[in-house]
Amino acid sequence: MSSMQDELILERIENLRGRKPYEEKRAAKLGFESLYEYFEDKIAKEAKALEADQANKTKLKKTIKTKSVEKKRSGSCSCC
């Protein structure tokens, strides 16, 4: 784990303010030993979701580009 991720976790915990007791209860309910572990897992899941989202966008762009190329090749008129 990088120190940048450590800083991010600590920053998120600091910024909880009035929500800290709620997040501590939630972490305990989900089986985490500490609030730090809970946020570590939460950030990892967010990063994974972001990667999946980026992959989907890339795939969609390729699909759109392929379809537009196929349209251009299919006919000489613009109506088809």
Side-chain angles (χ1 to χ4, degrees):
M1 179 178 358
S2 67
S3 66
M4 187 166 180
Q5 189 176 11
D6 291 338
E7 291 174 20
L8 180 61
I9 294 168
L10 294 174
E11 182 180 327
R12 283 197 181 184
I13 291 172
E14 276 182 28
N15 291 333
L16 287 175
R17 299 180 192 182
R19 295 186 324 267
K20 191 171 183 177
Y22 167 79
E23 293 292 348
E24 287 173 337
K25 286 179 187 177
R26 186 168 173 85
K29 183 178 179 181
L30 294 173
F32 292 97
E33 294 288 323
S34 67
L35 194 57
Y36 185 89
E37 285 181 17
Y38 171 67
F39 274 97
E40 189 176 46
D41 184 63
K42 193 172 183 177
I43 290 171
K45 286 180 181 176
E46 288 172 0
K48 193 173 186 180
L50 184 62
E51 286 176 16
D53 187 47
Q54 291 296 331
N56 287 340
K57 284 182 181 180
T58 303
K59 187 176 179 181
L60 181 63
K61 285 181 183 179
K62 287 180 181 178
T63 304
I64 291 171
K65 188 175 181 180
T66 304
K67 286 183 179 180
S68 67
V69 169
E70 288 174 4
K71 264 189 173 180
K72 288 179 184 178
R73 292 182 185 165
S74 65
S76 59
C77 64
S78 62
C79 64
C80 306

